[in-house]
Amino acid sequence: MTTVHEPATAMAELAVWPASATEPRPGDLAVGGVPLAAVADRFGTPVYVLDEAEVRDRCRTYRDAFPDAEIVYAAKAFLCRAMAHWTDEEGLGLDVCSAGELELAVTTGFPAERIVLHGNAKSPRDLDTALRLGVGRIVIDSPSEIARLAAAVGPDGHQKVMVRVVPGINAGGHEKIRTGTDDQKFGLSIADGYAQHAITRILDQPQLELTGLHCHLGSQITSVKPYLVAVRRLVGLMARLQEQHGLVLPELDLGGGHGIAYRPGEAALDLTALARKVRAELADACTTAGLPVPRLIIEPGRAIVGPAGIAVYRVLSVKHTAEHVFVAVDGGMSDNPRPALYGVRYMPRLIGRHSTADCARLTVVGRHCEAGDVLAADAELPADVRPGDLLAVPVAGAYHLSMASGYNLVGRPPVVAVRDGAARLLVRRESLEEIRSRDVGL
Ligand SMILES: Cc1ncc(COP(=O)(O)O)c(C=O)c1O
């Protein structure tokens, strides 16, 4: 165990927490006016806490930064009925990638015309549901989808579509979340001509109205530059489409991928700079190409919900080895697969009691049967952390529960919203009875 001589200051540590985070008393952390330890006592652990005001503020920050653009929240980051409701109230659109996400949103009252359907492999059910519910736009991601969709729409029908193109740009926080490069499963490449070919085929289908090009470069992008390169390449393709087909596309969707800090000191994408530079680049590229400026669409997921979420775990065991102290909590890779998938590390914090012990670097691990189930390899925590303590992990709102699994049959944690000093259950804990009831054979 390494003793840390200069522990991070309280203010610096709170940099990645929701703006509402306060420490009313030493060791007592509150979010949305609700002490996290009280949430743990009331709803049990592990539990995910979502700060409603933080979600709404982030939606408003996007709308202020991009006043002329359409902001479409990427539901894959996290979706529940309340989340759909909040984003609707804040005037955002919704990006879904399955019939499940779509049904949940529409049955909550989210207007279908403000929904964009994505997916590199949309099932017949996905497409049927989209058409039945009247989804606003469908983003075509493969050549075979064009005829399928046109047939499903029927000769008298009408559906707005975009085309997901691959601009050949390498950006994103990890190899597994880079989607702007050629030769991968998403989209249609500009470089090899597949994108142009697909567009010609879409134009042959009168019931499909092509409204724009789409690209999504990847996730956890912390620099503006890749987006500017994407604007140039996509406007270049738009100019060629105008020359060849006389086509002027009114929309341009640059996807999401805006990077956030998971630990204090980590880089995040500067949204104001992104908005200013993308707008200028788009205007300049369109002037050069002799095109009208299309309406911009962006699809942030992580940057809206990630920093609004906190995972709260209870410590189950503390084990000392020759070189490490392993602090094992009651959740892990089944509620948060990101460390195992991408090697991401978090900065948990002791809550619910004040410790005067020196800080040490401890290894916070999950309860699952994988050695890679590590939440924080070098967490700065009081050296006296013990079973029964509570640890809170900030920046837990995106791609945790939406990627949660049934591993080890522990059941997925609940989601609790906090706001103005009150906590309310949004999604209940998955019970063992529910898990058992799906198991119908013997
Ligand atoms: C098409 C599309 N748009 C938007 C997003 C959201 O990305 P992020 O959560 O990094 O903003 C994704 C994420 O995978 C995506 O695939």
Side-chain angles (χ1 to χ4, degrees):
M1 166 171 61
T2 322
T3 302
V4 178
H5 299 293
E6 287 182 45
T9 65
M11 280 312 286
E13 260 189 57
L14 287 183
V16 294
W17 287 76
S20 70
T22 56
E23 198 176 0
R25 278 175 301 282
D28 197 10
L29 199 69
V31 172
V34 182
L36 293 175
V39 176
D41 285 347
R42 181 169 156 203
F43 298 96
T45 56
V47 57
Y48 276 74
V49 181
L50 202 53
D51 182 339
E52 178 178 345
E54 182 75 20
V55 171
R56 289 183 184 271
D57 280 354
R58 286 176 173 272
C59 295
R60 287 173 201 167
T61 301
Y62 268 101
R63 293 202 62 192
D64 290 346
F66 294 88
D68 310 323
E70 191 173 333
I71 318 292
V72 175
Y73 168 63
K76 65 208 77 182
F78 173 71
L79 186 65
C80 67
R81 294 187 314 134
M83 192 68 200
H85 186 59
W86 300 340
T87 47
D88 176 24
E89 281 193 341
E90 295 303 329
L92 272 55
L94 201 68
D95 145 11
V96 300
C97 59
S98 70
E101 290 178 354
L102 178 55
E103 289 258 13
L104 187 94
V106 172
T107 53
T108 304
F110 202 100
E113 65 276 10
R114 297 212 321 262
I115 298 183
V116 179
L117 175 69
H118 279 285
N120 71 300
K122 299 177 195 74
S123 70
R125 189 173 154 227
D126 295 333
L127 288 180
D128 289 349
T129 309
L131 297 179
R132 174 171 54 82
L133 297 178
V135 82
R137 277 154 292 185
I138 297 178
V139 181
I140 290 178
D141 198 302
S142 68
S144 60
E145 213 179 311
I146 301 167
R148 270 174 67 209
L149 179 59
V153 172
D156 302 324
H158 174 256
Q159 177 63 52
K160 288 186 180 171
V161 299
M162 291 189 280
V163 177
R164 178 162 177 170
V165 306
V166 179
I169 295 169
N170 193 357
H174 188 277
E175 189 202 335
K176 291 179 187 164
I177 50 175
R178 290 187 191 138
T179 53
T181 49
D182 286 308
D183 202 19
Q184 42 106 2
K185 75 169 191 166
F186 290 106
L188 295 149
S189 167
I190 300 178
D192 64 17
Y194 270 86
Q196 294 86 318
H197 182 63
I199 289 167
T200 308
R201 286 180 54 192
I202 292 168
L203 297 177
D204 286 342
Q205 305 287 347
Q207 61 271 55
L208 302 184
E209 177 190 347
L210 181 64
T211 64
L213 303 181
H214 170 280
C215 75
H216 173 71
L217 302 179
S219 211
Q220 266 302 75
I221 299 170
T222 51
S223 151
V224 170
K225 183 115 185 278
Y227 292 99
L228 305 183
V229 179
V231 165
R232 286 277 161 194
R233 296 202 181 154
L234 266 60
V235 172
L237 177 55
M238 286 167 63
R240 293 198 291 284
L241 295 174
Q242 189 193 28
E243 267 167 42
Q244 286 162 14
H245 305 284
L247 182 68
V248 177
L249 294 173
E251 296 178 334
L252 181 68
D253 189 332
L254 288 182
H258 311 156
I260 57 173
Y262 279 86
R263 293 189 292 184
E266 284 180 5
L269 186 62
D270 178 345
L271 284 189
T272 315
L274 178 74
R276 182 170 38 84
K277 293 184 181 173
V278 161
R279 199 179 296 121
E281 194 79 6
L282 185 57
D284 189 56
C286 288
T287 305
T288 311
L291 288 171
V293 178
R295 178 151 201 240
L296 193 65
I297 303 171
I298 52 167
E299 301 173 340
R302 184 191 310 272
I304 284 188
V305 74
I310 298 124
V312 181
Y313 300 103
R314 200 168 288 281
V315 175
L316 295 180
S317 81
V318 178
K319 190 182 285 178
H320 293 250
T321 64
E323 290 179 29
H324 293 95
V325 177
F326 290 98
V327 177
V329 297
D330 55 0
M333 66 191 300
S334 70
D335 61 85
N336 178 10
R338 300 186 66 252
L341 276 174
Y342 317 129
V344 184
R345 292 290 181 257
Y346 292 81
M347 189 158 169
R349 190 185 157 114
L350 176 68
I351 57 163
R353 82 172 165 93
H354 177 54
S355 168
T356 51
D358 280 344
C359 276
R361 287 197 196 283
L362 312 180
T363 306
V364 179
V365 297
R367 59 166 291 167
H368 293 284
C369 302
E370 293 270 326
D373 182 19
V374 177
L375 274 171
D378 49 3
E380 258 182 54
L381 286 166
D384 66 349
V385 167
R386 53 190 183 236
D389 277 342
L390 291 171
L391 296 186
V393 177
V395 204
Y399 303 108
H400 280 218
L401 288 183
S402 62
M403 296 174 94
S405 73
Y407 189 38
N408 295 150
L409 301 189
V410 298
R412 285 171 290 179
V415 182
V416 171
V418 288
R419 183 182 134 176
D420 299 333
R424 72 181 202 279
L425 189 63
L426 298 183
V427 181
R428 64 176 167 71
R429 188 180 300 285
E430 187 176 29
S431 70
L432 294 184
E433 186 44 52
E434 278 170 302
I435 297 172
R436 203 172 19 238
S437 69
R438 291 183 60 231
D439 187 336
V440 294
L442 202 61

